[in-house]
Amino acid sequence: MMVNMTSTVPFGVYLHWPFCLSKCPYCDFNSHVRHGGIDEARFVRGFETELATTAKRIGARTVSSVFFGGGTPSLMQPASVQTILDAIARHWSVAPDAEVTLEANPTSVEATRFRGFRAAGVNRVSLGVQALDDAALKELGRLHSVQEALDAVAVARSIFQRYSFDLIYARPRQTLDAWAAELKRAIAEAAEHLSLYQLTIELDTPFAGLHAAGKLTVPDDDLARDLYDLTQAICAEAGLPAYEISNHARPGAECRHNLIYWRGHEYAGIGPGAHGRLNIGDRRVATETEKRPESWLMRVEATGSGLTVDDKLTPGETADEFLLMGLRLAEGIEPARYRALCGREIDPKRVAVLHAEGAVETTADGRLRVTQSGFPLLDAVVADLAA
Ligand SMILES: C[S@@+](CC[C@H](N)C(=O)[O-])C[C@H]1O[C@@H](n2cnc3c(N)ncnc32)[C@H](O)[C@@H]1O
Ligand code: SF4
């Protein structure tokens, strides 16, 4: 059933804060630099308005997680975070154990706000450390040093029971030995969760231009594969196995909000460029909002919402999305849920071929999952299985 009225069904709220102090040359997230500053109070009112409109549309829910992503939400004033969390609690009930995460850049300025974020109701931070190597941080265009990042992690540790940090690997000139040492140092600083992303050269970024001009070389496929395998081995050994292709956690410490995406549950997307998946009646609805912050704000002020996409997904689209997201997880998917969504089996012939190739396996309880050796080929596996 898609209708979500009970507290046992996860429901997440994603809020996108689209501003950064500077634009990192590898990043294609919806993030904007405004040297003249922004009218934060006005944007916060925009968030309150869009929350009210969404709540009116979908009705009662119990919020199991809230995620402030960006951009750089740690640039917000704690009072703004408080105002938004209060608005969420006015419209929906919030589970007593709700996970409330905020993404933070690890600079000293932002770390000074951590106590205020906790007082506002944030109970988990995710820090964009990116590298434990000062030359690499510089090349990535980051505004912080290794020491500053580690200091921010220490502040996070002293304030929040739950914190995570991100690293980017498969960087230019990175060797297996250097990454192994860096990752082990990171694990010593990590508590329960680490996000480890292979550097992706995103279209239309300065890195894409440098790459095309031959001025930025990333590891070839073989080295990237070895770096990935090394990452899995070191993290598993340290008790932080991958529960998703790029996310590692001690069992039970997974990011519950992100699990909502990967397990195909419901979430509202609020703020410029936010995506949502809402269960309305018996249909799953995909939403997307205007990306440009000022245009989003004007739309919200004029109409109550910044929606630019509001599409009912067909059962086939819903099922394919479930496959696409669910196969990212180490736990894989329940084929019965796929069947319930679209009324047919995942193509048994294609599954058999992937089984024979060792790319997927069926667990004792009947789940279908990608194997360790299949994970680096995930996109191809999913493309094969999707209708
Ligand atoms: C929304 S972003 C960043 C949050 C925060 N603004 C920061 O930079 O610390 C989430 C994460 O995506 C990762 N990321 C962004 N662009 C990437 C790329 N091109 N390749 C790999 N990882 C990337 C980074 O690790 C980043 O921390
Ligand atoms: S990586 Fe983070 S700080 Fe850098 S531009 Fe992207 S969102 Fe902003």
Side-chain angles (χ1 to χ4, degrees):
M1 262 314 274
M2 279 198 164
V3 178
N4 168 2
M5 301 294 280
T6 72
S7 58
T8 52
V9 182
F11 171 63
V13 180
Y14 175 78
L15 305 133
H16 192 82
W17 191 255
F19 302 110
C20 292
L21 285 182
S22 68
K23 184 83 190 173
C24 305
Y26 54 86
C27 175
D28 80 339
F29 280 83
N30 185 34
S31 61
H32 305 261
V33 179
R34 295 287 179 261
H35 293 296
I38 57 147
D39 186 343
E40 182 164 331
R42 192 170 156 204
F43 272 96
V44 171
R45 282 196 296 280
F47 278 77
E48 288 183 280
T49 303
E50 211 173 40
L51 279 165
T53 305
T54 309
K56 203 167 159 202
R57 180 174 187 200
I58 65 175
R61 294 287 190 277
T62 299
V63 175
S64 49
S65 64
V66 176
F67 196 103
F68 289 89
T72 308
S74 50
L75 294 175
M76 295 169 87
Q77 295 301 321
S80 301
V81 171
Q82 175 86 66
T83 302
I84 291 171
L85 290 174
D86 288 348
I88 290 173
R90 270 200 308 280
H91 298 302
W92 293 299
S93 59
V94 177
D97 63 345
E99 175 188 271
V100 183
T101 304
L102 182 133
E103 275 182 353
N105 279 28
T107 71
S108 53
V109 179
E110 285 144 291
T112 57
R113 299 200 184 113
F114 285 0
R115 214 169 278 287
F117 292 140
R118 190 186 64 179
V122 171
N123 53 29
R124 182 175 182 275
V125 284
S126 171
L127 294 145
V129 169
Q130 318 307 5
L132 294 176
D133 174 321
D134 279 317
L137 286 176
K138 201 159 174 225
E139 190 168 17
L140 291 170
R142 301 294 292 180
L143 299 179
H144 54 87
S145 63
V146 171
Q147 193 52 52
E148 206 175 357
L150 292 177
D151 290 346
V153 169
V155 176
R157 183 185 302 124
S158 70
I159 294 178
F160 297 99
Q161 257 186 3
R162 301 186 63 197
Y163 69 91
S164 173
F165 58 88
D166 301 350
L167 293 177
I168 297 179
Y169 70 102
R171 304 187 306 252
R173 301 174 304 283
Q174 194 171 35
T175 62
L176 285 164
D177 284 349
W179 172 235
E182 191 176 341
L183 181 55
K184 286 178 187 163
R185 192 173 170 205
I187 288 170
E189 297 287 339
E192 52 165 37
H193 193 286
L194 273 179
S195 300
L196 304 169
Y197 301 109
Q198 293 209 23
L199 176 64
T200 309
I201 304 296
E202 303 285 1
L203 279 179
D204 298 327
T205 56
F207 266 25
L210 289 172
H211 189 246
K215 291 180 181 159
L216 185 141
T217 314
V218 289
D220 63 20
D221 286 353
D222 286 344
L223 178 54
R225 175 67 201 250
D226 289 346
L227 285 162
Y228 174 82
D229 289 342
L230 182 67
T231 305
Q232 305 313 305
I234 292 175
C235 288
E237 165 87 26
L240 287 164
Y243 66 97
E244 189 265 353
I245 185 156
S246 306
N247 283 280
H248 298 254
R250 302 202 186 285
E254 298 83 4
C255 173
R256 277 157 41 202
H257 183 82
N258 287 340
L259 282 176
I260 285 181
Y261 306 148
W262 298 318
R263 288 181 175 160
H265 293 298
E266 185 185 28
Y267 56 99
I270 307 291
H275 292 221
R277 290 290 181 274
L278 302 174
N279 298 339
I280 298 178
D282 62 350
R283 291 295 283 273
R284 190 157 169 89
V285 175
T287 66
E288 238 172 277
T289 53
E290 163 64 42
K291 287 175 92 171
R292 242 191 118 250
E294 293 74 14
S295 311
W296 170 84
L297 189 54
M298 283 194 286
R299 261 178 199 258
V300 171
E301 288 175 345
T303 70
S305 123
L307 285 183
T308 50
V309 174
D310 192 18
D311 290 343
K312 279 187 186 149
L313 298 179
T314 64
E317 286 168 339
T318 305
D320 277 351
E321 200 169 83
F322 169 69
L323 205 62
L324 181 86
M325 301 304 279
L327 287 179
R328 300 176 64 95
L329 289 170
E331 68 185 22
I333 57 150
E334 259 179 274
R337 196 158 158 224
Y338 180 92
R339 195 165 50 239
L341 287 170
C342 70
R344 59 179 161 68
E345 303 290 335
I346 307 170
D347 187 339
K349 279 194 205 131
R350 293 190 204 167
V351 174
V353 171
L354 290 168
H355 258 291
E357 287 171 354
V360 299
E361 63 193 2
T362 301
T363 62
D365 58 354
R367 299 181 72 88
L368 181 71
R369 68 178 182 204
V370 175
T371 59
Q372 183 76 26
S373 59
F375 258 116
L377 314 167
L378 181 66
D379 290 346
V381 172
V382 172
D384 228 18
L385 292 177

